Amino acid sequence: QVQLVESGGGLVQAGGSLRLSCVASGNTFGTRAVGWYRQAPGSQREEVATIRIGGSTDYADPVKGRFTISRDAAKNAVYLQVFRLEPEDTAVYYCNLVGLEYENYWGQGCRVTVSS
C-alpha cells in the first residue's frame, strides 16, 4: 500500500505562485509515474502534470510554461511549482501515483483558490 499526502495549497491572488508537495510513504518500490490532477467545482478531474520514473514530464496545455513538476527521490516527494496563477486554476489538486502493477493511489487533495 501507498499513502500520499499533499500540502501547500491555499488562497492566492491572481499572478501569484505556490508550491504543492506530495509525500509518499509505504511501498513505493516500482513507482511508474506520479502525477498531479485537479478538479474544479462542477468539473471532472483532469490531469495537470506527470513525471515518470525516467524523469520525463508531461503537462496539460493550460498550464504549460506556468507549472513545473519535479521530484526529490531522497524525500519520496514530488512537487508542483505553480506560477502566474489564474482564477481558472482554482481547484482541488490531487497527487496520483501509478505503481508497478499499474495500480493507482490518490492523496486526499489540497485546495488552491485564486482570487482575481
Side-chain angles (χ1 to χ4, degrees), residues 2 7 10 17 19 23 30-33 41-42 51 60 62-63 74 79 85-86 94 102 105 107-109:
V2 172
S7 61
S17 61
R19 189 178 81 155
V23 177
T31 296
R32 293 184 179 273
I51 185 164
V63 308
Y79 306 102
L85 281 161
E86 303 168 354
Y94 296 91
Y102 295 97
Y105 299 95
Q108 82 288 353

Side-chain angles (χ1 to χ4, degrees), residues 18-45:
L18 287 172
R19 189 178 81 155
L20 306 183
S21 299
C22 172
V23 177
S25 61
N27 184 13
T28 60
F29 177 79
T31 296
R32 293 184 179 273
V34 177
W36 283 94
Y37 289 69
R38 67 184 180 186
Q39 187 166 18
S43 299
Q44 291 187 332
R45 192 173 297 189

